[in-house]
Amino acid sequence: RDVRAQRVSPVARACRFLWRDYDPAAGFLFWEVIDLVRKLFLASLVLFLDPEHGSSNMQRLFFAILVSGFYLVVLAFARPFKRSEDLYFAGTANFFLMCCFASGVVIQLCESAAYGDDMCHTLVGFKSARNASEFVVALTATMLALLLFVVLFKTISAARAPTIRLASSGRHPVLELPPECSFHGFISHAWGTGQDQTHTVVRQLQLLLPGVKIWLPVGKLGAV
């Protein structure tokens, strides 16, 4: 209840890591549960598909690809994250995961005695299972390198970006607002001479404190 109402209570603060990255305005505070169900299916529940012969056929891989593809489509349309960077990162990671499952299908086709080398060459273009395995290893190494590069780039960019932090904990302030509030602060100014200065102050606050909402009056104060 406190999380849904955006109230900073001890319980909401303790589980903040589960919902702080998602957009509360669109009602996606529960998205972590959906993501956990997806991970649980891909990591364990998929093993219950054809327990006797599942490791020797491609049924599990096809189901994993379908689930990952469906999640990627839902992720692109729902856009549950507050920041677009998190959305792109999640989409890229899920796409790489689909590539890994597709690579498993390629290896299964080329290594299975039921299909043979001719079927491997006809369907995926590799002359042998060894060539397919080498391609999968190279593809996996490339995806890991790209993922590490993106993580390193985002970490360096976040470390270099100037931000406002709490002196007591060194962390970013909690900017979640209760439903009855729309802004974190109000900046007034002299209409004749202070407009440019206050606009500059608001822009700097937004850069130093991402997510902050400042009300800068541009109409009549009678509407306050």
Side-chain angles (χ1 to χ4, degrees):
R1 183 181 302 176
D2 292 333
V3 173
R4 190 181 299 111
Q6 297 291 286
R7 289 193 295 265
V8 184
S9 65
V11 176
R13 187 184 297 274
C15 65
R16 186 169 177 262
F17 68 97
L18 293 173
W19 53 269
R20 64 183 176 185
D21 294 328
Y22 303 109
D23 186 6
F28 288 118
L29 296 175
F30 60 88
W31 192 264
E32 188 68 22
V33 178
I34 297 177
D35 197 28
L36 287 175
V37 171
R38 176 188 67 90
K39 294 175 182 177
L40 183 63
F41 175 82
L42 296 178
S44 60
L45 295 181
V46 71
L47 298 178
F48 291 96
L49 296 175
D50 194 3
E52 184 176 356
H53 304 289
S55 59
S56 60
N57 58 40
M58 294 180 290
Q59 183 181 11
R60 296 175 180 175
L61 290 171
F62 280 129
F63 270 99
I65 292 174
L66 288 175
V67 171
S68 299
F70 178 75
Y71 179 80
L72 184 60
V73 172
V74 173
L75 188 69
F77 280 97
R79 305 179 69 88
F81 294 94
K82 290 180 181 178
R83 300 184 304 174
S84 57
E85 294 87 353
D86 294 335
L87 176 65
Y88 299 149
F89 185 80
T92 302
N94 199 75
F95 175 75
F96 284 167
L97 186 62
M98 290 180 60
C99 291
C100 291
F101 291 136
S103 301
V105 172
V106 172
I107 293 178
Q108 192 73 25
L109 281 173
C110 294
E111 287 188 346
S112 177
Y115 300 105
D117 293 339
D118 293 337
M119 184 66 69
C120 176
H121 184 269
T122 302
L123 293 179
V124 295
F126 296 108
K127 296 181 180 179
S128 64
R130 179 181 178 85
N131 293 335
S133 300
E134 291 174 350
F135 170 77
V136 170
V137 170
L139 178 63
T140 303
T142 302
M143 290 189 297
L144 288 175
L146 289 175
L147 192 60
L148 289 176
F149 174 77
V150 172
V151 172
L152 184 62
F153 176 78
K154 294 298 295 181
T155 302
I156 295 176
S157 300
R160 291 182 176 179
T163 56
I164 295 177
R165 297 177 182 269
L166 297 175
S168 58
S169 62
R171 299 180 179 179
H172 294 286
V174 178
L175 297 179
E176 281 76 18
L177 290 169
E180 63 271 12
C181 298
S182 301
F183 300 93
H184 295 98
F186 167 73
I187 296 181
S188 184
H189 59 277
W191 290 96
T193 58
Q195 295 189 29
D196 293 337
Q197 291 84 345
T198 50
H199 278 280
T200 301
V201 170
V202 171
R203 283 193 295 267
Q204 289 299 320
L205 281 174
Q206 291 173 344
L207 290 175
L208 295 174
L209 199 57
V212 68
K213 297 180 180 179
I214 304 296
W215 182 19
L216 184 63
V218 294
K220 294 183 180 180
L221 288 179
V224 176

